[in-house]
């Protein structure tokens, strides 16, 4: 059956092939689409909190805004989840929201049902760290546990020649194990060029073939100074190295993905040197 209609000079054809849905039917159909999309059932959303209000039932309603485009996304934290939030958002804050996108039938609009909130900045770096850590762990890059030689005759050190940690390593090795042959493979250990520089230094040691163990070291610093040791290229170079790798990066409180990929991770460059030689 075909029904023709004319309005404002335009002709419309209503045919049997075109579906007919009620308003509720449209909402239910969109809900089913969102519920079946693996990308939208669990995702992180970044944005600025442009409104934040808790209603009398204890639910927290947010509006997240994209500062660049002006797009807005409504969000809600149900009352039972508010006590589990890691922090309480305020208007003007940049945040990361973890949740599920869904359709609110009563208002026929989509919104984010939020499970967790993190402040952007350090929160974003921590999120990326954990995501990369989980992915590399699933690949088996953190499974290295090769034994270190008991009495090494030749070791290699990858570090900056200007780093205080390199001086600490030399003093420790000379005091504990005189006569040890030490090959130094210089690298940048801070900045944008550092990951490629570290990878090249590790490759030089492997190509040389004399070292029985490799020590990758850098002294302490701010978290951003150690970012190169969380770079995927560096992690893969350590995991794929043909000889055991010992890391001595930062201070005791510091944790990098390079430490996870190494065969042994010490808290400092000095502690790493102490671990390598008797």
């Amino acid at each position: 059956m075909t029904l023709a209609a004319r309005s404002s000079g335009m002709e419309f054809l209503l045919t049997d092939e075109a579906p007919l849905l009620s308003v509720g039917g449209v909402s239910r159909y969109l809900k089913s689409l969102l519920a079946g999309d693996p990308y939208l059932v669990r995702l992180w959303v970044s944005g600025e909190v442009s409104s934040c209000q808790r209603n009398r039932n204890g639910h927290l309603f947010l509006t997240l805004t994209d500062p660049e485009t002006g797009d807005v996304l409504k969000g809600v934290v149900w009352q039972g989840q508010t006590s589990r939030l890691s922090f309480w958002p305020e208007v003007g804050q940049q945040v990361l929201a973890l949740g599920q996108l869904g359709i609110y039938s009563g208002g026929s609009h989509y919104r984010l049902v939020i499970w967790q909130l993190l402040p952007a900045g350090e929160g974003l770096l921590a999120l990326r760290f954990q995501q990369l850590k989980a992915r590399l762990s699933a690949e088996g890059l953190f499974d290295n546990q090769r034994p270190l030689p008991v009495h090494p005759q030749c070791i290699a050190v990858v570090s900056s020649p200007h780093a205080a940690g390199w001086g600490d390593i030399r003093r420790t090795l000379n005091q504990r194990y005189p006569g040890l042959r030490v090959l130094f493979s210089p690298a940048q250990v801070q900045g944008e060029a550092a990951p490629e520089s570290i990878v090249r230094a590790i490759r030089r040691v492997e190509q040389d073939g004399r070292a029985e163990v490799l020590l990758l070291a850098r002294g302490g610093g701010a978290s951003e100074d150690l970012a190169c040791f969380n770079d995927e290229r560096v992690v893969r170079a350590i995991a794929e190295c043909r000889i055991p790798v010992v890391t001595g990066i930062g201070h005791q409180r510091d944790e990098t993905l390079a430490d996870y990929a190494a065969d042994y991770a010490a808290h400092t460059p000095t502690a790493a040197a102490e671990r390598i030689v008797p």
Side-chain angles (χ1 to χ4, degrees):
M1 179 184 72
T2 301
L3 175 64
R6 183 176 295 275
S7 175
S8 302
M10 298 180 63
E11 186 173 278
F12 301 93
L13 296 178
L14 303 179
T15 68
D16 293 334
E17 289 77 14
L20 175 63
L21 295 175
S22 66
V23 173
V26 172
S27 292
R28 288 192 295 273
Y29 181 67
L30 291 176
K31 277 185 176 181
S32 67
L33 289 180
L34 294 179
D37 189 323
Y39 194 73
L40 300 178
V41 294
R42 181 181 173 89
L43 77 160
W44 286 95
V45 177
S46 63
E48 180 180 305
V49 179
S50 53
S51 71
C52 180
Q53 184 177 6
R54 191 170 188 173
N55 71 1
R56 60 184 181 183
N57 295 322
H59 309 311
L60 178 64
F61 291 90
L62 304 173
T63 301
L64 301 179
T65 302
D66 189 319
E68 296 183 1
T69 66
D71 291 338
V72 298
L73 174 62
K74 299 292 184 179
V76 60
V77 184
W78 298 127
Q79 187 272 336
Q81 193 67 27
T82 55
S83 62
R84 300 183 177 92
L85 295 180
S86 62
F87 89 112
W88 199 259
E90 296 180 0
V91 172
Q93 282 186 317
Q94 294 285 337
V95 300
L96 301 174
L98 173 65
Q100 177 178 5
L101 201 66
I103 292 288
Y104 174 57
S105 301
S108 296
H109 61 259
Y110 66 88
R111 68 182 176 190
L112 184 69
V113 178
I114 299 171
W115 307 321
Q116 188 54 270
L117 287 167
L118 294 174
E122 291 186 5
L124 180 58
L125 293 176
L127 172 62
R128 288 174 175 169
F129 177 90
Q130 293 300 332
Q131 289 177 332
L132 181 58
K133 178 182 175 183
R135 179 164 60 83
L136 298 181
S137 178
E139 291 186 33
L141 268 64
F142 300 154
D143 296 340
N144 281 344
Q145 291 185 337
R146 293 170 291 187
L148 304 182
V150 178
H151 295 285
Q153 301 303 305
C154 180
I155 73 167
V157 177
V158 172
S159 188
S160 167
H162 311 295
W166 169 225
D168 295 338
I169 290 170
R170 282 184 295 178
R171 284 190 294 272
T172 301
L173 295 176
N174 289 333
Q175 292 170 1
R176 292 173 63 91
Y177 209 67
L180 176 70
R181 190 171 191 178
V182 180
L183 307 177
F184 184 71
S185 186
Q188 295 184 45
V189 291
Q190 182 176 333
E192 292 184 4
E196 283 295 341
S197 179
I198 294 171
V199 171
R200 289 196 300 269
I202 293 174
R203 297 286 184 256
R204 283 196 299 267
V205 173
E206 290 188 280
Q207 292 170 3
D208 180 85
R210 288 175 291 174
E212 301 164 62
V213 62
L214 185 151
L215 169 54
L216 174 60
R218 187 204 190 281
S223 58
E224 56 268 23
D225 296 335
L226 305 181
C228 58
F229 298 101
N230 292 322
D231 189 281
E232 183 172 349
R233 293 165 291 179
V234 173
V235 176
R236 290 189 180 279
I238 294 172
E240 296 167 1
C241 187
R242 294 193 296 268
I243 61 175
V245 177
V246 175
T247 54
I249 301 168
H251 298 302
Q252 187 166 359
R253 68 179 184 275
D254 296 315
E255 177 189 69
T256 70
L257 296 181
D259 294 323
Y260 285 98
D263 298 275
Y264 183 87
H267 295 308
T268 64
T270 299
E274 292 174 345
R275 177 63 184 85
I276 289 177
V277 296

